[in-house]
Amino acid sequence: MTTPIKVAALLGPGDHIGYEGQWRTVNATKTDIGAMGGLFVVVAWEEGGTDRFRAGDEVLVGTPEPPPAGA
């Protein structure tokens, strides 16, 4: 079985990615130029907050598991 990944530059709204031990949903993305001229992707999460990835970073993508019944 292969791990589904996507390059950060290709992330878009609705993508679910594994980040910091939990699933987060991409709300919006925009590009940014770093201090040394590198290309970055700024990701806004539906769960709140933003994070920045190098455009070529590989991120884990998938469908988060639904919460357990009764939770």
Side-chain angles (χ1 to χ4, degrees):
M1 183 172 154
T2 60
T3 303
I5 57 173
K6 186 182 275 192
V7 176
L10 300 177
L11 289 174
D15 282 339
H16 298 282
I17 70 170
Y19 183 68
E20 293 185 340
Q22 62 183 334
W23 286 103
R24 295 188 183 190
T25 306
V26 176
N27 186 34
T29 61
K30 69 177 185 174
T31 57
D32 191 18
I33 302 295
M36 301 293 287
L39 182 62
F40 288 85
V41 177
V42 179
V43 177
W45 307 111
E46 284 186 6
E47 296 79 7
T50 61
D51 285 295
R52 196 168 105 148
F53 299 91
R54 287 185 179 92
D57 283 355
E58 294 180 337
V59 294
L60 178 67
V61 295
T63 304
E65 292 184 22

